[in-house]
Amino acid sequence: MTSFLWKRKAGGNISKETSKNFEANSKPDGEDLSDCEVDWISLAPRRKVICLEDAAVKSNRLKQEGVTLAEAERYWEAIQKWNQALQLTPSNEKLYEMKAQVC
């Protein structure tokens, strides 16, 4: 394996005057930087959201969660889960039936 014997200095092309101006204008380490006017959240790259479940699968999951809550006698929470499932699949008669049995 060959190694190169030269090293490049970082910032070798920066003049002494520029370096001194930067050091004079920069804030010391102990100073608070929270008053900075840059909105860093808007500068962050946007991530593509991948949906792991479609409406039918999510509706089925919410239905099963509602059944579990109803068996634990937590009826209001079960009804909320079934309402969320009905928003995704309003044609599912089974959800209406389950909701009617609890009410």
Side-chain angles (χ1 to χ4, degrees), residues 34-75:
S34 63
D35 61 340
C36 189
E37 295 180 15
V38 177
D39 184 16
W40 292 104
I41 294 176
S42 65
L43 296 176
R46 305 257 184 213
R47 292 185 182 175
K48 185 176 181 182
V49 178
I50 301 172
C51 294
L52 298 177
E53 55 186 5
D54 61 347
V57 174
K58 187 172 182 179
S59 175
N60 191 27
R61 180 179 56 83
L62 289 168
K63 180 179 84 167
Q64 293 302 322
E65 287 178 11
V67 168
T68 305
L69 289 168
E71 288 174 351
E73 298 180 1
R74 295 166 60 183
Y75 302 116

Side-chain angles (χ1 to χ4, degrees), residues 1-97:
M1 179 178 210
T2 306
S3 66
F4 296 99
L5 299 175
W6 55 270
K7 291 184 180 179
R8 181 176 172 216
K9 288 186 177 181
N13 295 335
I14 299 174
S15 68
K16 298 270 184 193
E17 183 179 327
T18 306
S19 176
K20 287 181 182 179
N21 285 338
F22 177 77
E23 289 177 5
N25 293 332
S26 64
K27 293 184 177 183
D29 290 336
E31 220 173 292
D32 185 25
L33 299 175
S34 63
D35 61 340
C36 189
E37 295 180 15
V38 177
D39 184 16
W40 292 104
I41 294 176
S42 65
L43 296 176
R46 305 257 184 213
R47 292 185 182 175
K48 185 176 181 182
V49 178
I50 301 172
C51 294
L52 298 177
E53 55 186 5
D54 61 347
V57 174
K58 187 172 182 179
S59 175
N60 191 27
R61 180 179 56 83
L62 289 168
K63 180 179 84 167
Q64 293 302 322
E65 287 178 11
V67 168
T68 305
L69 289 168
E71 288 174 351
E73 298 180 1
R74 295 166 60 183
Y75 302 116
W76 287 109
E77 294 174 54
I79 291 172
Q80 289 174 351
K81 293 288 182 184
W82 291 329
N83 284 336
Q84 291 174 4
L86 282 169
Q87 289 177 351
L88 297 171
T89 54
S91 62
N92 192 345
E93 313 88 33
K94 193 90 167 171
L95 289 169
Y96 289 109
E97 182 183 341

